[in-house]
Amino acid sequence: MRTLEVLVMDVPFWAWVAVLAVILVMLAVDLFAHRDAHVVSVREAAVWSAVWVTLGLAFGGVVWWAYGAQAGGEYYAGYLIEKSLAVDNVFVFALIFTYFAVPREYQHRVLFYGVLGALVFRAIFIAGGAVLIENFAWVLYLFGAFLVFTGWKMFRHRDDEMDPSRNPVLRLVRRWVPSTDEFHGQKFWVKKAGTWVATPLFTVLVLVETTDIIFAVDSIPAIFAVTQEPFLVFTSNAFAILGLRAMYFLLADLIHRFVHLKAGLAAILVFVGVKMLLLDVYKVPIWLSLSVIAASIAIAVVASLRATRDQAPAVEGDEVAVGS
């Protein structure tokens, strides 16, 4: 088996520290801006989405300038993959919030801590994946086969709807964690009769966190398909995830119209899986990867909007049909 040529970047320690500092500062700004519970309007979500996307694209420009076109292209490919797959998270988040009837003014707080936890868990997964690939290169082929299988499974079950009540994590929380069915503002825990009990927001946070971990099992191997450089894998993942909250509030009322999105996401997973399986035979150019990923999402979105152009927009309080 011939040795694969992969991009190797000499990233100084201070660069890692600087990136983490930027992420923490932006999270602090976001938390301060939403310190008071309120309904996030579409306009506010659009502004924040623009901020996060601009930040993510600008960082890619810095990578391109500092390390060249190959590194920049790999970052943008990873960013686009994660951003695309994050839309699937929005579907599930909407179902969870609907099932628990979470007031809109409390949803941002849940998503904020959900994203914070997601960044930590993904950093752990990426570090573990990088170590595995460095010591056992054949793991890439397992990742590729897994992505092809996952993409095919997503396509076959694209019309299935998730039922939060059947989630095993939910059953475990309800069985082992003392809980109350009443919301207490934005609190996750309250004291009742001298005992700390979890509010519904805590249960929702646990489900959001576990859901993101499950999605990471797909998205992180997918990013490793376009770059094996840990710095690019982490930063493309992180900057895409940072905008997940704003994306949710921007798209929540339009989710019912994305009827073909899962097919587009499935195509992306199959493509990057095949790309990974062919690593020892043919290295797919990064420009082609970017083109295929962007085209898959564009076609799925356009086809979805055309198919549902006569549908009225969802209104607050309506149950969101996910995966239909």
Side-chain angles (χ1 to χ4, degrees):
M1 182 181 295
R2 68 179 172 85
T3 303
L4 298 174
E5 296 181 3
V6 297
L7 174 70
V8 178
M9 293 169 54
D10 182 18
V11 182
F13 179 73
W14 65 261
W16 282 96
V17 174
V19 168
L20 292 175
V22 169
I23 291 174
L24 291 176
V25 168
M26 290 304 298
L27 285 172
V29 170
D30 188 18
L31 183 61
F32 178 79
H34 298 88
R35 62 191 182 281
D36 297 323
H38 68 279
V39 176
V40 178
S41 66
V42 173
R43 180 177 180 179
E44 182 182 356
V47 170
W48 274 102
S49 291
V51 169
W52 293 121
V53 170
T54 300
L55 184 64
L57 296 180
F59 183 81
V62 172
V63 171
W64 196 302
W65 169 78
Y67 293 98
Q70 179 69 18
E74 290 185 5
Y75 167 85
Y76 282 126
Y79 178 84
L80 191 55
I81 287 175
E82 180 58 43
K83 204 71 173 175
S84 302
L85 294 176
V87 180
D88 208 20
N89 292 43
V90 173
F91 280 67
V92 180
F93 293 166
L95 264 181
I96 294 173
F97 286 146
T98 300
Y99 177 78
F100 285 92
V102 179
R104 289 199 169 196
E105 59 267 28
Y106 303 152
Q107 293 176 4
H108 182 276
R109 183 176 178 84
V110 174
L111 292 178
F112 176 86
Y113 286 105
V115 167
L116 189 61
L119 289 173
V120 174
F121 282 112
R122 286 171 186 247
I124 295 172
F125 291 164
I126 290 169
V131 171
L132 281 175
I133 292 171
E134 184 177 355
N135 292 279
F136 309 99
W138 50 266
V139 169
L140 285 171
Y141 301 103
L142 290 182
F143 284 174
F146 173 75
L147 289 173
V148 172
F149 171 76
T150 302
W152 172 243
K153 185 177 179 181
M154 178 183 287
F155 181 79
R156 287 188 60 194
H157 299 281
R158 63 190 182 279
D159 295 328
D160 294 351
E161 293 187 11
M162 170 190 168
D163 183 2
S165 65
R166 300 177 62 183
N167 190 306
V169 175
L170 175 60
R171 291 199 293 266
L172 284 175
V173 171
R174 286 177 167 173
R175 181 176 180 180
W176 296 105
V177 180
S179 306
T180 175
D181 294 330
E182 301 174 356
F183 287 96
H184 291 264
Q186 298 190 87
K187 295 179 179 179
F188 294 112
W189 293 87
V190 293
K191 204 167 188 179
K192 282 193 168 185
T195 302
W196 286 100
V197 295
T199 70
L201 277 191
F202 173 80
T203 305
V204 171
L205 176 61
V206 171
L207 291 184
V208 166
E209 199 65 69
T210 53
T211 295
D212 188 81
I213 291 174
I214 293 171
F215 277 111
V217 174
D218 296 336
S219 64
I220 290 177
I223 296 178
F224 272 117
V226 295
T227 179
Q228 284 87 60
E229 171 54 51
F231 184 75
L232 297 181
V233 177
F234 174 74
T235 53
S236 61
N237 203 282
F239 282 109
I241 285 295
L242 284 173
L244 183 58
R245 297 176 310 286
M247 180 190 294
Y248 168 79
F249 291 109
L250 187 63
L251 300 179
D253 290 336
L254 297 175
I255 288 176
H256 66 293
R257 296 196 58 187
F258 294 128
V259 293
H260 298 306
L261 184 61
K262 281 189 178 289
L265 298 179
I268 291 175
L269 290 178
V270 171
F271 169 74
V272 296
V274 171
K275 170 182 165 67
M276 206 172 248
L277 291 173
L278 295 178
L279 278 174
D280 197 49
V281 179
Y282 174 70
K283 185 173 177 60
V284 179
I286 196 64
W287 65 264
L288 181 57
S289 296
L290 278 167
S291 300
V292 171
I293 295 165
S296 299
I297 289 300
I299 292 172
V301 170
V302 171
S304 295
L305 295 179
R306 285 178 60 87
T308 59
R309 58 182 177 272
D310 296 328
Q311 291 187 19
V315 296
E316 184 174 353
D318 284 351
E319 184 173 349
V320 183
V322 176
S324 58

